[in-house]
Amino acid sequence: MCRTVELRQAVLARNDDGARELRAELAARGTVVVNLLSSPGSGKTALLEAELGLARARGVPVAALTADLATENDARRLARSGAPVKQVLTDGLCHLETAMLREHLAGWLPPDTRLLFVENVGNLVCPASYDLGESLRVVLASVTEGEDKPLKYPTAFGLANLVLVTKADLAVAAEFDEAAFLASVARVNPGVEVLFTSVRTGQGAGVLLDRALAVLDGAEAHRPVMAGAPGHGHSPGHPHAHGPDEGHHHGDDGAHAHPHAPVAERS
């Protein structure tokens, strides 16, 4: 058991070193990476396709890399946006690592890319531990997945800079308890921004793009204080700075937000 733990720590430490290097390299060329995590079937691909289309319409140089164990279905869907897209087949691996990302970006990523969206493997366990050199980590959960999802996967939700609730148009049919979900998020990630979206109705359209562009323009991504949830850990590449007493309000469009405050830069 000790050897297993030590090996895992060594793997994560090596990955974090690579992530810091990749982040610095991409920042030097003016590119921000957005890492998207969710369970399978959350609507992540549909949302990303819509956001890529909006980015293209606004003239934002954007690209996407999508990872799956098999098939190129998601890449074909995302390519309909007109953005450069690349599929990564992990051949059974349940997550992406920095070295894999670097390998697939080499010789492919257009030099003028300002936003790179990485659609991670559909899994809320393994991907949560790996920093990919992202500047914004987003976790998605659909209203059909249950209000206690954040409590079941505290590391994934606890390290999120932004939580997006998808398929909001199905909330009534799914008997989704919004208050219970927000309470679950608050337990593992106090003060994190939670926004509601629906690709079908257009609710929350552009919120992901807007947050990414804000980081590109110099805004620091939200880094919350980790809550002491059971089994909750964090990767060395993700410092945290917001306290549980920061405000959280309900916007006019039904979305939830909190005021951003300066936070420490990743080390």
Side-chain angles (χ1 to χ4, degrees):
M1 177 60 71
C2 291
R3 290 182 179 177
T4 300
V5 172
E6 290 173 359
L7 176 60
R8 174 174 171 77
Q9 290 175 338
V11 169
L12 290 176
R14 183 170 63 250
N15 181 83
D16 287 335
D17 289 341
R20 282 191 290 270
E21 294 174 2
L22 181 59
R23 184 179 299 109
E25 292 172 14
L26 291 174
R29 57 179 280 174
T31 302
V32 160
V33 177
V34 181
N35 187 6
L36 304 176
L37 288 77
S38 79
S39 300
S42 68
K44 181 165 73 269
T45 305
L47 178 66
L48 181 54
E49 181 184 355
E51 297 293 302
L52 290 174
L54 285 173
R56 294 274 296 172
R58 295 186 192 179
V60 179
V62 64
L65 184 147
T66 180
D68 276 305
L69 275 66
T71 83
E72 296 190 356
N73 295 348
D74 287 353
R76 284 193 288 268
R77 289 179 59 187
L78 295 178
R80 296 185 304 199
S81 68
V85 175
K86 186 171 186 179
Q87 180 76 55
V88 176
L89 297 180
T90 64
D91 193 26
L93 191 64
C94 63
H95 62 275
L96 283 175
E97 297 179 11
T98 301
M100 298 169 60
L101 181 60
R102 178 187 289 279
E103 177 184 349
H104 285 280
L105 294 182
W108 168 76
L109 187 66
D112 66 338
T113 302
R114 292 298 166 259
L115 296 178
L116 171 63
F117 289 93
V118 177
E119 183 181 17
N120 219 313
V121 179
N123 178 358
L124 284 175
V125 182
C126 304
S129 297
Y130 287 84
D131 183 356
L132 298 181
E134 71 266 19
S135 296
L136 185 66
R137 178 175 289 205
V138 182
V139 175
L140 299 84
S142 72
V143 298
T144 60
E145 295 180 63
E147 297 80 4
D148 61 347
K149 201 78 168 185
L151 301 180
K152 291 182 177 180
Y153 301 95
T155 300
F157 282 88
L159 288 174
N161 306 127
L162 172 67
V163 174
L164 294 182
V165 180
T166 60
K167 305 182 183 182
D169 56 300
L170 301 178
V172 174
E175 298 184 346
F176 179 72
D177 188 333
E178 179 179 322
F181 179 82
L182 293 175
S184 295
V185 173
R187 283 186 58 185
V188 299
N189 197 337
V192 72
E193 186 174 30
V194 182
L195 301 173
F196 287 72
T197 69
S198 168
V199 173
R200 180 177 297 178
T201 67
Q203 179 181 353
V207 294
L208 176 58
L209 177 59
D210 289 342
R211 296 304 182 274
L213 287 173
V215 173
L216 179 64
D217 288 339
E220 296 190 70
H222 172 51
R223 307 276 181 213
V225 171
M226 300 294 289
H232 194 123
H234 71 279
S235 73
H238 291 78
H240 310 281
H242 283 206
D245 58 342
E246 289 179 357
H248 183 98
H249 67 272
H250 196 284
D252 296 336
D253 60 353
H256 295 262
H258 78 282
H260 290 264
V263 293
E265 189 175 338
R266 292 176 192 250
S267 58

